[in-house]
């Protein structure tokens, strides 16, 4: 038998021009079956003979896009677009290839050419919309998304991407509508199920969110995003340990997923598990030193020293911060402010606060005049006569405890005292009351809606609130709601839930406002970015609380001063517990040992016994607080 193992394989016969058509058909068939490498080999054979063969350039370019070989795809498709500049497919696929390279402005130009060539093509509108979204040009993107869906209502990717943008813009209900439709059109798409879960979380529909996030994980167990969203939903529902498992899995699957790592860090922080938290903070900094939110977490759990390498790294970053996004520059200034405050460098600390808040204010929409007018309208509706006329009409339940006041006033401590009682569940900052109000009548605004409220409406409002809050702890005698901005609803809360307990927490105005100014809040607190605006808001809040003091019946609200709690903790704690109709329990004396999640800026403070370090904090900065002091005094 002749040995052939070492012989050279026969060379393929050069492709003749007459064979191009049959080879092209074979290549297309391979491509349709998903045999991309074989299809690419045949298209390359065609191009070796006819280098300007338009259809082969387009098809091979598209295969390279699918294979994420974007640079090669750009070369091929640019040549195709040059050959036939009016080709919709060549222009569109060139745009996709450029987008794959991260060259979004160039991609947008070609997508616009596609749209000019085919104005009725939904996919062309969608490509423009998604690229504008990536470029953070959301207002420009929206009409293109709307036109896409108008042209092609059953286009799941368009609804998914539009929903994702609306979710990012905190337009949660609109996002939910798009994502629910996308999920109906493509129920087995894990990315759609995960996004739908995220939208449901934003709309406080946690049971539905968990169901869709679980489905996303079952469809794609390797999806870091699905695990992240499921983890977040589980945490919010109170299943903390299961939430941690999914967040840990998200970080394991994608170590560079900053959002999952930040959620995990925040969870460990809320539980006081600072030892478990620190490695994730350090890993986040190692993976992405420019993501300065990790520095914020670091300075929350660690007091830096002048020779600490992390302080040196922050100083280097701030010296050349032009490479950072505005958001990361903002976080960096706040982290440096905390680090320098801890070291006693109050002047430098305050300078960093000014810089960080200036960046926040620049991206924050705040209508101060309208805010003040809204408080005035509330006072005009909730007169003494009105309060007397509709008294005792609401739902009869003594379960809720509302803790209200300004942010950074000591309210987390008050809630932690109550949550340490075995008969009380600490609900945290709930949106339940405002949500119940909006659901009863989404058209008319507050307070105008209340002026014509009948007894049945007030009772329905109270019951709607209870139906949301009660499932958080079905057997607890009391449930706290620490949404501080409920202070504007105090009169309505009393009417809708006349047996509810309302605790107003006060703190020295300068200390309160400085603490607000020093905190990069993630929520809707736009008045905290400017010292003068902050002072004027505080005065408006004080006027609002003085009004409630005047119109509420005696005993309807308990007022607590933070400084009194610090000075005589046990006396004030007993007073709070008694007001809420509970028997005293010594667990309230050791509030710092209570194992519950605390999702506020005071998560670290409530893990320590009572201390006096925050009383009089503003004195070290008094000379720099002139705009705040003037606003508080009514002269600025």
């Amino acid at each position: 038998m002749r040995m052939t193992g070492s012989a050279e394989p026969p060379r393929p016969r050069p492709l003749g021009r007459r064979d191009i058509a049959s080879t092209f058909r074979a290549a297309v068939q391979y491509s349709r079956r998903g045999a991309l490498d074989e299809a690419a080999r045949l298209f390359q054979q065609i191009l070796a003979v006819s280098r300007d063969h338009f259809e082969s350039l387009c098809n091979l370019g598209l295969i390279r896009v699918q294979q994420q070989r974007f640079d090669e795809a750009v070369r091929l498709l640019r040549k195709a677009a040059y050959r036939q500049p009016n080709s919709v497919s060549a222009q569109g696929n060139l745009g996709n290839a450029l987008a794959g390279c991260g060259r979004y402005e160039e991609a947008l130009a070609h997508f616009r050419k596609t749209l000019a060539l085919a104005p009725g093509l939904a996919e062309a509108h969608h490509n423009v919309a998604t690229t504008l979204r990536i470029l953070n040009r959301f207002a420009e993107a929206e009409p293109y998304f709307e036109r896409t869906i108008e042209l092609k209502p059953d286009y799941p990717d368009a609804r998914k991407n539009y929903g994702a943008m609306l979710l990012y813009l905190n337009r949660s209900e609109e996002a939910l509508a798009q994502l629910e439709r996308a999920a109906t059109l493509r129920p087995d798409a894990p990315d759609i199920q995960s996004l739908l879960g995220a939208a449901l979380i934003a709309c406080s529909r946690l049971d539905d969110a968990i169901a869709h996030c679980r489905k996303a994980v079952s469809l794609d167990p390797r999806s870091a995003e699905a695990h992240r969203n499921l983890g977040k939903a589980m945490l919010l529902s109170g299943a903390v340990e299961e939430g941690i498992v999914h967040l840990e899995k998200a970080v394991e699957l994608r170590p560079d997923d900053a959002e999952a790592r930040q959620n995990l860090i925040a969870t460990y922080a809320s539980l006081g598990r600072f030892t478990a938290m620190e490695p994730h903070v350090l890993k986040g900094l190692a993976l992405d030193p420019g993501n300065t939110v990790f520095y914020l977490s670091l300075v929350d759990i660690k007091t830096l020293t002048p020779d600490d390498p992390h302080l040196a790294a922050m100083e280097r970053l701030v010296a050349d911060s032009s490479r950072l996004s505005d958001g990361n520059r903002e976080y960096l200034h706040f982290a440096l402010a905390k680090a320098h405050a801890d070291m006693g460098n109050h002047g430098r600390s305050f300078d960093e606060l000014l810089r960080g808040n200036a960046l926040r204010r620049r991206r924050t929409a705040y209508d101060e005049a309208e805010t003040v007018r809204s408080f005035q309208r509330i006072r005009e509706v909730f007169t003494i006569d009105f309060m007397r006329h509709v008294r005792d009409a609401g739902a009869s339940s003594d379960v809720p405890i509302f803790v209200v006041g300004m942010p950074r006033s000591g309210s987390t401590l008050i809630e932690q005292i109550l949550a340490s009682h075995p008969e009380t569940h600490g609900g945290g900052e709930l949106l339940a009351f405002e949500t119940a109000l909006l659901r009863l009548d989404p058209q008319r605004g507050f307070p105008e809606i209340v002026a014509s409220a009948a007894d049945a409406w007030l009772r329905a409002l109270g019951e709607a609130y209870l139906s949301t809050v009660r499932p958080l702890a079905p057997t607890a005698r009391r449930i706290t709601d620490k949404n501080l901005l409920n202070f504007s609803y105090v009169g309505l809360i009393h009417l809708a839930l006349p047996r509810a307990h309302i605790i107003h927490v006060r703190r020295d105005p300068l200390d309160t406002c400085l603490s607000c100014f020093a905190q990069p809040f993630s929520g809707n607190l736009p008045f905290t970015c400017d010292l003068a605006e902050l002072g004027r808001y505080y005065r408006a809040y004080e006027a609002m609380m003085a009004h409630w003091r005047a119109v509420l019946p005696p005993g309807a609200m308990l007022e607590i001063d933070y400084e009194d709690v610090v000075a005589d903790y046990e006396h004030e704690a007993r007073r709070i517990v008694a007001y809420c109709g509970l028997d005293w329990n010594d667990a309230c004396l050791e509030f710092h040992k209570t194992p519950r999640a605390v999702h506020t800026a005071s998560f670290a403070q409530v893990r320590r016994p009572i201390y006096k370090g925050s009383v009089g904090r503003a004195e070290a900065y008094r000379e720099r607080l002139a705009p705040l002091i003037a606003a508080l005094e009514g002269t600025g």
Side-chain angles (χ1 to χ4, degrees):
M1 181 179 292
R2 180 178 296 176
M3 300 296 292
T4 60
S6 60
E8 293 185 7
R11 295 182 179 181
R13 179 177 61 84
L15 192 67
R17 291 186 178 275
R18 287 180 300 178
D19 300 320
I20 288 176
S22 60
T23 303
F24 180 80
R25 287 193 297 271
V28 169
Q29 289 300 318
Y30 277 123
S31 180
R32 287 174 178 169
R33 294 202 300 266
L36 300 185
D37 289 336
E38 187 63 23
R41 185 183 65 80
L42 294 179
F43 285 129
Q44 286 173 319
Q45 284 186 18
I46 295 171
L47 291 170
V49 174
S50 179
R51 64 183 183 179
D52 292 330
H53 191 269
F54 174 76
E55 289 82 3
S56 293
L57 288 169
C58 286
N59 280 276
L60 182 56
L62 181 57
I63 287 173
R64 295 311 188 212
V65 169
Q66 293 171 291
Q67 294 175 328
Q68 298 188 14
R69 294 167 60 174
F70 296 115
D71 289 332
E72 185 181 351
V74 168
R75 179 179 59 79
L76 291 161
L77 291 163
R78 197 181 294 283
K79 191 172 183 180
Y82 176 78
R83 294 280 298 166
Q84 293 192 25
N86 291 332
S87 166
V88 170
S89 63
Q91 293 290 349
N93 286 327
L94 177 54
N96 287 325
L98 288 162
C101 296
R103 294 157 64 178
Y104 295 112
E105 291 288 359
E106 293 177 74
L108 182 60
H110 287 280
F111 288 144
R112 289 193 188 280
K113 286 181 183 177
T114 308
L115 191 57
L117 291 166
L121 184 64
E123 288 78 1
H125 288 273
H126 183 232
N127 284 337
V128 173
T130 52
T131 309
L132 288 168
R133 174 197 161 205
I134 291 169
L135 292 168
N136 293 330
R137 290 157 62 177
F138 305 119
E140 292 179 67
E142 186 158 8
Y144 288 100
F145 274 123
E146 290 177 345
R147 180 59 176 155
T148 302
I149 292 167
E150 181 183 338
L151 289 167
K152 193 173 180 180
D154 293 342
Y155 191 171
D157 283 344
R159 290 189 180 274
K160 176 192 74 174
N161 291 325
Y162 188 21
M165 185 182 85
L166 292 169
L167 189 59
Y168 179 82
L169 295 173
N170 294 319
R171 292 163 58 182
S172 306
E173 295 288 349
E174 295 171 80
L176 182 60
Q178 295 297 335
L179 292 166
E180 285 180 327
R181 180 62 180 150
T184 301
L185 294 167
R186 193 180 292 163
D188 292 331
D191 55 342
I192 293 176
Q193 292 293 333
S194 181
L195 273 170
L196 177 54
L200 288 161
I201 291 170
C203 295
S204 300
R205 290 170 53 185
L206 293 182
D207 289 344
D208 291 337
I210 289 169
H212 285 281
C213 289
R214 285 198 192 282
K215 184 173 182 179
V217 168
S218 69
L219 289 167
D220 184 3
R222 305 285 302 168
S223 168
E225 181 188 21
H227 282 286
R228 183 215 310 149
N229 287 333
L230 179 53
K232 186 175 180 181
M234 298 308 299
L235 291 174
L236 291 171
S237 70
V240 174
E241 298 304 328
E242 186 176 351
I244 289 174
V245 168
H246 287 287
L247 290 178
E248 290 274 16
K249 186 64 176 178
V251 169
E252 175 194 326
L253 288 167
R254 203 167 81 199
D256 63 344
D257 186 342
E259 184 179 345
R261 196 175 292 276
Q262 287 161 12
N263 285 337
L264 187 57
I265 288 167
T267 302
Y268 282 137
S270 72
L271 295 167
R273 300 180 189 175
F274 304 130
T275 302
M277 170 185 174
E278 187 170 354
H280 287 287
V281 174
L282 298 177
K283 183 67 173 178
L285 286 171
L287 287 170
D288 188 2
N291 190 342
T292 58
V293 71
F294 292 118
Y295 282 115
L296 272 178
S297 297
L298 182 69
V299 298
D300 272 333
I301 61 171
K302 183 179 180 181
T303 299
L304 303 188
T305 58
D307 59 349
D308 193 298
H310 292 110
L311 179 63
M314 284 194 284
E315 297 290 12
R316 286 193 299 272
L317 273 176
V318 82
D320 184 21
S321 61
S322 59
R323 296 177 293 116
L324 299 175
S325 67
D326 280 355
N328 276 312
R329 286 169 59 210
E330 176 187 315
Y331 295 141
L332 180 60
H333 288 305
F334 279 100
L336 279 167
K338 174 67 164 57
H340 282 286
D342 288 345
M343 293 185 288
N345 302 331
H346 299 300
R348 173 66 190 281
S349 174
F350 199 80
D351 287 340
E352 296 297 339
L353 288 181
L354 289 172
R355 295 183 184 110
N357 276 293
L359 287 169
R360 288 186 71 221
R361 186 65 184 89
R362 199 164 68 195
R363 65 177 179 83
T364 301
Y366 175 46
D367 189 337
E368 182 180 13
E370 174 54 29
T371 299
V372 173
R373 281 195 298 269
S374 70
F375 289 162
Q376 178 59 37
R377 292 199 305 272
I378 292 170
R379 292 195 293 272
E380 290 170 356
V381 169
F382 287 88
T383 63
I384 291 178
D385 288 343
F386 176 78
M387 295 292 289
R388 288 174 178 168
H389 178 67
V390 293
R391 185 172 296 173
D392 298 325
S396 179
S397 172
D398 61 358
V399 169
I401 302 172
F402 291 88
V403 182
V404 302
M406 278 287 288
R408 310 297 290 154
S409 61
S411 57
T412 301
L413 171 59
I414 305 307
E415 184 182 46
Q416 186 75 349
I417 292 168
L418 288 163
S420 300
H421 195 287
E423 295 181 306
T424 302
H425 172 76
E429 297 182 340
L430 305 177
L431 298 173
F433 193 82
E434 184 174 3
T435 300
L437 181 60
L438 287 172
R439 285 179 179 168
L440 275 184
D441 194 329
Q443 303 302 320
R444 292 185 293 170
F446 176 78
E448 289 74 18
I449 186 175
V450 181
S452 59
D455 289 3
W457 185 89
L458 289 168
R459 192 174 304 110
L461 175 59
E463 288 171 352
Y465 173 82
L466 292 168
S467 69
T468 300
V469 171
R470 200 55 173 128
L472 298 176
T475 61
R477 282 188 63 194
R478 302 286 184 268
I479 298 174
T480 62
D481 181 341
K482 200 188 76 69
N483 186 334
L484 297 178
L485 299 187
N486 276 337
F487 77 79
S488 62
Y489 294 121
V490 162
L492 183 55
I493 288 170
H494 176 69
L495 296 178
L497 295 156
R499 297 179 63 205
H501 312 273
I502 302 171
I503 301 176
H504 173 216
V505 188
R506 301 177 295 201
R507 183 184 174 194
D508 175 81
L510 274 184
D511 286 347
T512 300
C513 291
L514 177 62
S515 291
C516 287
F517 196 64
Q519 184 64 38
F521 292 106
S522 58
N524 184 29
L525 301 172
F527 54 86
T528 63
C529 309
D530 177 271
L531 287 171
E533 289 176 342
L534 180 53
R536 290 190 290 269
Y537 185 92
Y538 190 96
R539 289 187 71 233
Y541 142 78
E542 276 193 320
M544 192 78 257
M545 294 312 301
H547 179 77
W548 296 135
R549 203 174 293 123
V551 303
L552 288 176
M557 179 172 68
L558 175 68
E559 298 195 276
I560 294 290
D561 291 307
Y562 172 75
E563 291 79 8
D564 291 344
V565 177
V566 171
D568 191 351
Y569 173 77
E570 184 171 348
H571 176 270
E572 293 301 302
R574 286 181 177 274
R575 193 159 74 95
I576 292 165
V577 171
Y579 165 75
C580 294
L582 299 168
D583 293 331
W584 175 252
N585 190 289
D586 284 342
C588 299
L589 292 176
E590 296 189 302
F591 64 89
H592 55 287
K593 296 181 181 179
T594 300
R596 62 179 286 264
V598 177
H599 299 287
T600 72
S602 300
F603 67 85
Q605 290 93 321
V606 297
R607 302 300 174 189
R608 300 183 296 190
I610 206 75
Y611 69 104
K612 300 182 179 181
S614 293
V615 176
R617 177 189 178 194
E619 283 304 311
Y621 301 89
R622 180 173 284 275
E623 292 183 2
R624 307 291 298 274
L625 296 176
L628 172 60
I629 293 169
L632 287 170
E633 292 175 347
T635 59

